[in-house]
Amino acid sequence: MSTKQSKNNLYLTTFTQHIGAKGLTEVTENANDPRIVRTMHMLREALLELMEEHGFERITVKDITSKAGLNRGTFYLHFADKFDLLERITEDMMQGLRKIAQTFDPLDLVMHESRDTPFPFTVRLFEYFGKHARFFSVMLGPKGDPAFSVKFKEFMQVHLMDKFNEFHYSDDRMPVPWDYLMAYLISAHLGIVQYWLEQGRDYTPWDIALMFTRMTQLSPIQSAGLKK
Amino acid sequence: MSTKQSKNNLYLTTFTQHIGAKGLTEVTENANDPRIVRTMHMLREALLELMEEHGFERITVKDITSKAGLNRGTFYLHFADKFDLLERITEDMMQGLRKIAQTFDPLDLVMHESRDTPFPFTVRLFEYFGKHARFFSVMLGPKGDPAFSVKFKEFMQVHLMDKFNEFHYSDDRMPVPWDYLMAYLISAHLGIVQYWLEQGRDYTPWDIALMFTRMTQLSPIQSAGLKK
DNA sequence: CCCTAAAATGAACTTTGTGTTGATTAATGA
DNA sequence: TCATTAATCAACACAAAGTTCATTTTAGGG
């Protein structure tokens, strides 16, 4: 009773260790705590690995925690469910993209397109994709989340395409409606990102960015170098 | 015992009413039986409606059958699980696409592109998308299945793009690698389909097909009619 | 080094959906 | 009319979800 220095903290044990399936982001965790950092990292990595293999749909919380080597209860200490986890990862990545987007200047583009050099902003984006290749590769791939592709497109729309709104004529003078042209270009660029990741990044960000410059200036037929 | 004409079929009751979670497509049903036709139809419609609302991931077999007004057991009479159901619907739609693809002739394209008229093959495709708008709209949208987008791209690759392989120069003479150009174009076209469905089909198949013709011939900058 | 706050663990429990089974009822079509 | 077969119903074992609480482990400031 005295040798073991007793349990004098019995009446002061931990409160509210739990998140609750509803209160999704009401958590104010100490993000500096190395235990939390580690846990988060393990869970994120485990989720991406499992998604790569089976797709988000087929994964259970049990799978995630056992791959992460953590207790299932620990998961619920931080996230309401697997959707919550995915959202948090996604939001972080989008933050990263938005930060890069701040450096974007449309006038820069005009300068570079006339001299067959890649647009530096595009290079920076691809460097980011490369840095987080696993995430983007999974999320934009066949096992990924189609809602993320939409998010990504919205990002391009707002941060890139909308900057050029002022430069085009009124709709009746255009060969193709403005909004359809935007849909075309955004999806085309997304397609390049997907293909590049799929191929294991066989070109440098610089090379890819140069392709963008060229494909924007040439018609598809010219880009193909088709024999007539 | 005699008034009710008895149960003389007791020893001949139905065998193997069930599919089994593994034997996915081992079923040889009489697809003409109106009961089956009706059941299939109800299940398909229910699935699409629910996907539109909550996405495939959030749906349970219970949801599907209760929306379809059927017994849950009936579902398992025809499908192993919800994935199986989705696959069957998808396969049917792809069949429809392949059938249209048979009518494709690349030489046709050369004829039409020089006179600013839509490519009839493209018109036919969009008529099909329109006819099955709910399916394509859901599956290619944010609540859909990213694997289907990939399937769809492969379809375009095989049935459209590969036909032009012979017409291009060797890679070192091209402004952009051939495979990247294909990824760009395929994704761009997919994007138009998605956008068109999203907008509630605000143009006719003919109009959309004409946009394709033009965007293939003009550079994005020309398509935009950008002020210099 | 010790001690406290907080994170992680482990075990139990309820609930919900799954996939299966066998018996019964209802519809089809020859 | 009647044999066949689809659909229904009720019951089952099972797996994972989400929650709770007591206990153990860890981090880091005094």
Side-chain angles (χ1 to χ4, degrees), chain A residues 17 33 35 39 71 74 78:
Chain A
Q17 266 209 358
D33 192 318
R35 291 171 293 182
T39 298
N71 191 281
T74 308
H78 299 282

